[in-house]
Amino acid sequence: MPSLTPQRTLLLFFCLCCCCCLQETLCILVQRSSERQQQQQQQQRENMQDSQVHTIQLFRRHRREPLSFVSSKVRRRAGARTGSQSAVHASEYYGKITVGTPPQEFSVVFDTGSGNLLLPSKQCKDEACTSHRRFDAAASKTALDVAFSSAPDGAVEKGGDRDVVTITFGTGEISGVFVKDHICVGKICTHADFVAATEESDEPFSLVPFDGIFGLGLQQMSEGPHFNVFDCMIRDKVLKAPIFAVFFGATDTEPSEITFGQYNESRMAGPLFWAPVSNPGYWQVGMTDITIGGLRQALCHGGCEVAVDTGTSLMAGPPDIVNDPTHK
């Protein structure tokens, strides 16, 4: 296996499983001690490692129209929809996190196509917000209203200005302000900044069962370093290994899950291999071709570039490449 330092890499499991890995070297220094002390230290390490790994079961819902939460700074131009709308897609995989002290629970899409945690705030009065659980900063003892993304620990001064950000996705738009608080994925917790939405578009957010979006893209996709929750987990050394792994079950009866801190070898369809990230931001990697029924389609002449995106429920690409396999 090639060296991981200093390049970030993406792990891919096939079929329907991807795992993302960042560079990190973990070192444990063990002092000499009596045999009993060594056993105690070993037990402590095992207990710590157990607390640094957590798997969340992902709920799955079907809908006729696909979703995409790839974030963009450019507003999407409205256009005619193409293709059949009769197909039913397994388009939403979401799980639970908690934010604040005491913890407030939210269901979120774990999305490798965006880089921020976004939750509806108590200040948002849109139907897309009021139909979901909303974050109440006043009810959290550890919440800090942040003025500017460039100063992630800087509180909003009384009567002072603060940033308002608008993030456009493939199928919707959110505007909000910045908050810093305690964020937990199961027993793995960190402090990070996130976007508390003050406005949300009705489509698709009023129609979805989850409350927010947990961005797992690389740091270039985030508002700033302290907004990338996974990087904050690595910074705070709360993970057994700097890895998260996503598994989407192929059928409704096969469980889907995301694991932080390691990957589940029982979910692997074959040997693990490395695919270097070609354009950091998205988990973007090179692809040589697409196979259907085990047969290569000869679509990527000279190679293709693809983004591995857990928040998009369909395969998308240039018409000259995508149109042919979608009719097979």
Side-chain angles (χ1 to χ4, degrees), residues 254-281:
E254 186 174 31
S256 300
E257 65 187 31
I258 181 170
T259 300
F260 288 81
Q262 69 179 21
Y263 57 88
N264 186 350
E265 292 187 7
S266 68
R267 297 298 192 190
M268 296 170 60
L272 185 67
F273 65 92
W274 298 93
V277 173
S278 56
N279 185 21

mmCIF file of all heavy atoms in Angstrom, residues 254-281:
data_model
loop_
_atom_site.group_PDB
_atom_site.id
_atom_site.type_symbol
_atom_site.label_atom_id
_atom_site.label_comp_id
_atom_site.label_asym_id
_atom_site.label_seq_id
_atom_site.Cartn_x
_atom_site.Cartn_y
_atom_site.Cartn_z
ATOM 1 N N GLU A 254 -31.273 -5.202 3.067
ATOM 2 C CA GLU A 254 -29.858 -5.157 3.446
ATOM 3 C C GLU A 254 -29.575 -3.823 4.149
ATOM 4 O O GLU A 254 -29.791 -2.766 3.570
ATOM 5 C CB GLU A 254 -28.968 -5.298 2.211
ATOM 6 C CG GLU A 254 -27.488 -5.393 2.552
ATOM 7 C CD GLU A 254 -26.639 -5.673 1.317
ATOM 8 O OE1 GLU A 254 -27.031 -5.237 0.214
ATOM 9 O OE2 GLU A 254 -25.591 -6.313 1.461
ATOM 10 N N PRO A 255 -29.101 -3.847 5.404
ATOM 11 C CA PRO A 255 -28.895 -2.593 6.153
ATOM 12 C C PRO A 255 -27.861 -1.693 5.496
ATOM 13 O O PRO A 255 -26.885 -2.160 4.906
ATOM 14 C CB PRO A 255 -28.409 -3.089 7.524
ATOM 15 C CG PRO A 255 -28.810 -4.520 7.599
ATOM 16 C CD PRO A 255 -28.768 -5.035 6.198
ATOM 17 N N SER A 256 -28.092 -0.401 5.605
ATOM 18 C CA SER A 256 -27.118 0.605 5.173
ATOM 19 C C SER A 256 -26.524 1.247 6.418
ATOM 20 O O SER A 256 -27.172 1.338 7.450
ATOM 21 C CB SER A 256 -27.793 1.665 4.298
ATOM 22 O OG SER A 256 -28.371 1.074 3.151
ATOM 23 N N GLU A 257 -25.272 1.726 6.315
ATOM 24 C CA GLU A 257 -24.616 2.252 7.509
ATOM 25 C C GLU A 257 -23.465 3.176 7.145
ATOM 26 O O GLU A 257 -22.939 3.145 6.031
ATOM 27 C CB GLU A 257 -24.087 1.107 8.383
ATOM 28 C CG GLU A 257 -22.983 0.291 7.720
ATOM 29 C CD GLU A 257 -22.576 -0.937 8.515
ATOM 30 O OE1 GLU A 257 -23.445 -1.506 9.222
ATOM 31 O OE2 GLU A 257 -21.398 -1.345 8.417
ATOM 32 N N ILE A 258 -23.085 4.019 8.109
ATOM 33 C CA ILE A 258 -21.856 4.800 8.022
ATOM 34 C C ILE A 258 -21.092 4.564 9.315
ATOM 35 O O ILE A 258 -21.669 4.559 10.402
ATOM 36 C CB ILE A 258 -22.129 6.307 7.793
ATOM 37 C CG1 ILE A 258 -20.798 7.072 7.687
ATOM 38 C CG2 ILE A 258 -23.019 6.901 8.874
ATOM 39 C CD1 ILE A 258 -20.965 8.510 7.211
ATOM 40 N N THR A 259 -19.779 4.329 9.190
ATOM 41 C CA THR A 259 -18.918 4.060 10.338
ATOM 42 C C THR A 259 -17.825 5.108 10.401
ATOM 43 O O THR A 259 -17.172 5.390 9.391
ATOM 44 C CB THR A 259 -18.297 2.656 10.238
ATOM 45 O OG1 THR A 259 -19.338 1.674 10.204
ATOM 46 C CG2 THR A 259 -17.391 2.375 11.426
ATOM 47 N N PHE A 260 -17.628 5.673 11.573
ATOM 48 C CA PHE A 260 -16.554 6.631 11.801
ATOM 49 C C PHE A 260 -15.447 5.955 12.610
ATOM 50 O O PHE A 260 -15.720 5.325 13.631
ATOM 51 C CB PHE A 260 -17.063 7.860 12.555
ATOM 52 C CG PHE A 260 -17.929 8.764 11.727
ATOM 53 C CD1 PHE A 260 -19.268 8.469 11.530
ATOM 54 C CD2 PHE A 260 -17.402 9.890 11.127
ATOM 55 C CE1 PHE A 260 -20.071 9.293 10.764
ATOM 56 C CE2 PHE A 260 -18.197 10.730 10.347
ATOM 57 C CZ PHE A 260 -19.531 10.422 10.171
ATOM 58 N N GLY A 261 -14.200 6.076 12.168
ATOM 59 C CA GLY A 261 -13.059 5.554 12.909
ATOM 60 C C GLY A 261 -12.486 4.265 12.373
ATOM 61 O O GLY A 261 -11.371 3.894 12.717
ATOM 62 N N GLN A 262 -13.196 3.555 11.524
ATOM 63 C CA GLN A 262 -12.698 2.345 10.877
ATOM 64 C C GLN A 262 -13.667 1.954 9.766
ATOM 65 O O GLN A 262 -14.671 2.627 9.551
ATOM 66 C CB GLN A 262 -12.526 1.198 11.869
ATOM 67 C CG GLN A 262 -13.824 0.640 12.431
ATOM 68 C CD GLN A 262 -13.600 -0.517 13.391
ATOM 69 O OE1 GLN A 262 -12.517 -0.686 13.943
ATOM 70 N NE2 GLN A 262 -14.641 -1.305 13.621
ATOM 71 N N TYR A 263 -13.364 0.853 9.072
ATOM 72 C CA TYR A 263 -14.288 0.333 8.078
ATOM 73 C C TYR A 263 -14.603 -1.122 8.406
ATOM 74 O O TYR A 263 -13.840 -1.816 9.085
ATOM 75 C CB TYR A 263 -13.733 0.468 6.655
ATOM 76 C CG TYR A 263 -12.391 -0.186 6.421
ATOM 77 C CD1 TYR A 263 -12.303 -1.523 6.039
ATOM 78 C CD2 TYR A 263 -11.204 0.541 6.565
ATOM 79 C CE1 TYR A 263 -11.090 -2.123 5.818
ATOM 80 C CE2 TYR A 263 -9.979 -0.050 6.349
ATOM 81 C CZ TYR A 263 -9.917 -1.386 5.974
ATOM 82 O OH TYR A 263 -8.703 -1.980 5.763
ATOM 83 N N ASN A 264 -15.748 -1.576 7.937
ATOM 84 C CA ASN A 264 -16.253 -2.904 8.226
ATOM 85 C C ASN A 264 -15.865 -3.848 7.088
ATOM 86 O O ASN A 264 -16.431 -3.764 5.997
ATOM 87 C CB ASN A 264 -17.772 -2.849 8.406
ATOM 88 C CG ASN A 264 -18.366 -4.169 8.846
ATOM 89 O OD1 ASN A 264 -17.698 -5.202 8.847
ATOM 90 N ND2 ASN A 264 -19.639 -4.147 9.217
ATOM 91 N N GLU A 265 -14.910 -4.721 7.348
ATOM 92 C CA GLU A 265 -14.425 -5.606 6.292
ATOM 93 C C GLU A 265 -15.513 -6.541 5.771
ATOM 94 O O GLU A 265 -15.462 -6.984 4.618
ATOM 95 C CB GLU A 265 -13.234 -6.421 6.799
ATOM 96 C CG GLU A 265 -11.991 -5.584 7.060
ATOM 97 C CD GLU A 265 -10.781 -6.439 7.392
ATOM 98 O OE1 GLU A 265 -10.880 -7.677 7.281
ATOM 99 O OE2 GLU A 265 -9.748 -5.860 7.762
ATOM 100 N N SER A 266 -16.513 -6.840 6.599
ATOM 101 C CA SER A 266 -17.582 -7.736 6.152
ATOM 102 C C SER A 266 -18.441 -7.106 5.059
ATOM 103 O O SER A 266 -19.187 -7.810 4.367
ATOM 104 C CB SER A 266 -18.466 -8.135 7.340
ATOM 105 O OG SER A 266 -19.208 -7.021 7.820
ATOM 106 N N ARG A 267 -18.336 -5.781 4.881
ATOM 107 C CA ARG A 267 -19.096 -5.093 3.838
ATOM 108 C C ARG A 267 -18.353 -5.044 2.505
ATOM 109 O O ARG A 267 -18.903 -4.587 1.503
ATOM 110 C CB ARG A 267 -19.398 -3.654 4.277
ATOM 111 C CG ARG A 267 -20.275 -3.543 5.518
ATOM 112 C CD ARG A 267 -21.614 -4.154 5.293
ATOM 113 N NE ARG A 267 -22.564 -3.819 6.360
ATOM 114 C CZ ARG A 267 -23.752 -4.389 6.488
ATOM 115 N NH1 ARG A 267 -24.143 -5.314 5.633
ATOM 116 N NH2 ARG A 267 -24.554 -4.040 7.474
ATOM 117 N N MET A 268 -17.107 -5.482 2.484
ATOM 118 C CA MET A 268 -16.288 -5.359 1.280
ATOM 119 C C MET A 268 -16.594 -6.477 0.299
ATOM 120 O O MET A 268 -16.676 -7.644 0.674
ATOM 121 C CB MET A 268 -14.809 -5.364 1.657
ATOM 122 C CG MET A 268 -14.394 -4.173 2.504
ATOM 123 S SD MET A 268 -12.727 -4.324 3.192
ATOM 124 C CE MET A 268 -11.756 -4.447 1.692
ATOM 125 N N ALA A 269 -16.765 -6.123 -0.970
ATOM 126 C CA ALA A 269 -17.026 -7.104 -2.018
ATOM 127 C C ALA A 269 -15.741 -7.632 -2.633
ATOM 128 O O ALA A 269 -15.759 -8.596 -3.391
ATOM 129 C CB ALA A 269 -17.904 -6.490 -3.108
ATOM 130 N N GLY A 270 -14.615 -7.004 -2.310
ATOM 131 C CA GLY A 270 -13.330 -7.409 -2.871
ATOM 132 C C GLY A 270 -12.203 -6.756 -2.110
ATOM 133 O O GLY A 270 -12.429 -6.042 -1.125
ATOM 134 N N PRO A 271 -10.967 -6.957 -2.551
ATOM 135 C CA PRO A 271 -9.811 -6.372 -1.859
ATOM 136 C C PRO A 271 -9.871 -4.843 -1.879
ATOM 137 O O PRO A 271 -10.356 -4.231 -2.833
ATOM 138 C CB PRO A 271 -8.612 -6.885 -2.669
ATOM 139 C CG PRO A 271 -9.132 -8.084 -3.416
ATOM 140 C CD PRO A 271 -10.568 -7.801 -3.692
ATOM 141 N N LEU A 272 -9.340 -4.244 -0.827
ATOM 142 C CA LEU A 272 -9.286 -2.797 -0.727
ATOM 143 C C LEU A 272 -8.197 -2.243 -1.635
ATOM 144 O O LEU A 272 -7.108 -2.823 -1.747
ATOM 145 C CB LEU A 272 -8.996 -2.407 0.728
ATOM 146 C CG LEU A 272 -9.017 -0.926 1.080
ATOM 147 C CD1 LEU A 272 -10.421 -0.385 0.940
ATOM 148 C CD2 LEU A 272 -8.511 -0.736 2.499
ATOM 149 N N PHE A 273 -8.490 -1.147 -2.317
ATOM 150 C CA PHE A 273 -7.454 -0.497 -3.127
ATOM 151 C C PHE A 273 -7.600 1.008 -2.983
ATOM 152 O O PHE A 273 -8.634 1.517 -2.555
ATOM 153 C CB PHE A 273 -7.560 -0.911 -4.608
ATOM 154 C CG PHE A 273 -8.807 -0.454 -5.293
ATOM 155 C CD1 PHE A 273 -8.852 0.754 -5.981
ATOM 156 C CD2 PHE A 273 -9.960 -1.233 -5.267
ATOM 157 C CE1 PHE A 273 -10.013 1.179 -6.613
ATOM 158 C CE2 PHE A 273 -11.123 -0.821 -5.903
ATOM 159 C CZ PHE A 273 -11.144 0.381 -6.572
ATOM 160 N N TRP A 274 -6.550 1.726 -3.337
ATOM 161 C CA TRP A 274 -6.503 3.177 -3.153
ATOM 162 C C TRP A 274 -6.750 3.892 -4.474
ATOM 163 O O TRP A 274 -6.258 3.470 -5.526
ATOM 164 C CB TRP A 274 -5.134 3.605 -2.612
ATOM 165 C CG TRP A 274 -4.809 3.023 -1.283
ATOM 166 C CD1 TRP A 274 -4.120 1.869 -1.039
ATOM 167 C CD2 TRP A 274 -5.160 3.547 -0.004
ATOM 168 N NE1 TRP A 274 -4.029 1.644 0.316
ATOM 169 C CE2 TRP A 274 -4.656 2.651 0.972
ATOM 170 C CE3 TRP A 274 -5.873 4.668 0.411
ATOM 171 C CZ2 TRP A 274 -4.830 2.860 2.335
ATOM 172 C CZ3 TRP A 274 -6.045 4.880 1.769
ATOM 173 C CH2 TRP A 274 -5.522 3.980 2.709
ATOM 174 N N ALA A 275 -7.514 4.973 -4.420
ATOM 175 C CA ALA A 275 -7.733 5.842 -5.580
ATOM 176 C C ALA A 275 -7.388 7.265 -5.158
ATOM 177 O O ALA A 275 -8.103 7.850 -4.346
ATOM 178 C CB ALA A 275 -9.175 5.768 -6.066
ATOM 179 N N PRO A 276 -6.295 7.832 -5.634
ATOM 180 C CA PRO A 276 -5.906 9.171 -5.202
ATOM 181 C C PRO A 276 -6.900 10.234 -5.654
ATOM 182 O O PRO A 276 -7.462 10.157 -6.743
ATOM 183 C CB PRO A 276 -4.537 9.380 -5.864
ATOM 184 C CG PRO A 276 -4.530 8.437 -7.014
ATOM 185 C CD PRO A 276 -5.357 7.258 -6.602
ATOM 186 N N VAL A 277 -7.129 11.223 -4.792
ATOM 187 C CA VAL A 277 -8.014 12.340 -5.116
ATOM 188 C C VAL A 277 -7.315 13.233 -6.136
ATOM 189 O O VAL A 277 -6.204 13.704 -5.897
ATOM 190 C CB VAL A 277 -8.383 13.135 -3.848
ATOM 191 C CG1 VAL A 277 -9.159 14.390 -4.213
ATOM 192 C CG2 VAL A 277 -9.193 12.260 -2.898
ATOM 193 N N SER A 278 -7.965 13.463 -7.265
ATOM 194 C CA SER A 278 -7.337 14.215 -8.351
ATOM 195 C C SER A 278 -7.588 15.709 -8.259
ATOM 196 O O SER A 278 -6.812 16.505 -8.797
ATOM 197 C CB SER A 278 -7.846 13.696 -9.708
ATOM 198 O OG SER A 278 -9.267 13.768 -9.771
ATOM 199 N N ASN A 279 -8.675 16.103 -7.597
ATOM 200 C CA ASN A 279 -8.996 17.527 -7.484
ATOM 201 C C ASN A 279 -9.645 17.760 -6.127
ATOM 202 O O ASN A 279 -10.875 17.697 -6.006
ATOM 203 C CB ASN A 279 -9.932 17.951 -8.622
ATOM 204 C CG ASN A 279 -10.198 19.444 -8.620
ATOM 205 O OD1 ASN A 279 -9.439 20.228 -8.053
ATOM 206 N ND2 ASN A 279 -11.294 19.849 -9.247
ATOM 207 N N PRO A 280 -8.850 18.024 -5.075
ATOM 208 C CA PRO A 280 -9.400 18.098 -3.708
ATOM 209 C C PRO A 280 -10.530 19.116 -3.597
ATOM 210 O O PRO A 280 -10.506 20.189 -4.181
ATOM 211 C CB PRO A 280 -8.187 18.522 -2.879
ATOM 212 C CG PRO A 280 -7.012 18.044 -3.661
ATOM 213 C CD PRO A 280 -7.407 18.225 -5.098
ATOM 214 N N GLY A 281 -11.492 18.775 -2.801
ATOM 215 C CA GLY A 281 -12.737 19.527 -2.622
ATOM 216 C C GLY A 281 -13.824 18.486 -2.614
ATOM 217 O O GLY A 281 -14.286 18.032 -1.574
#
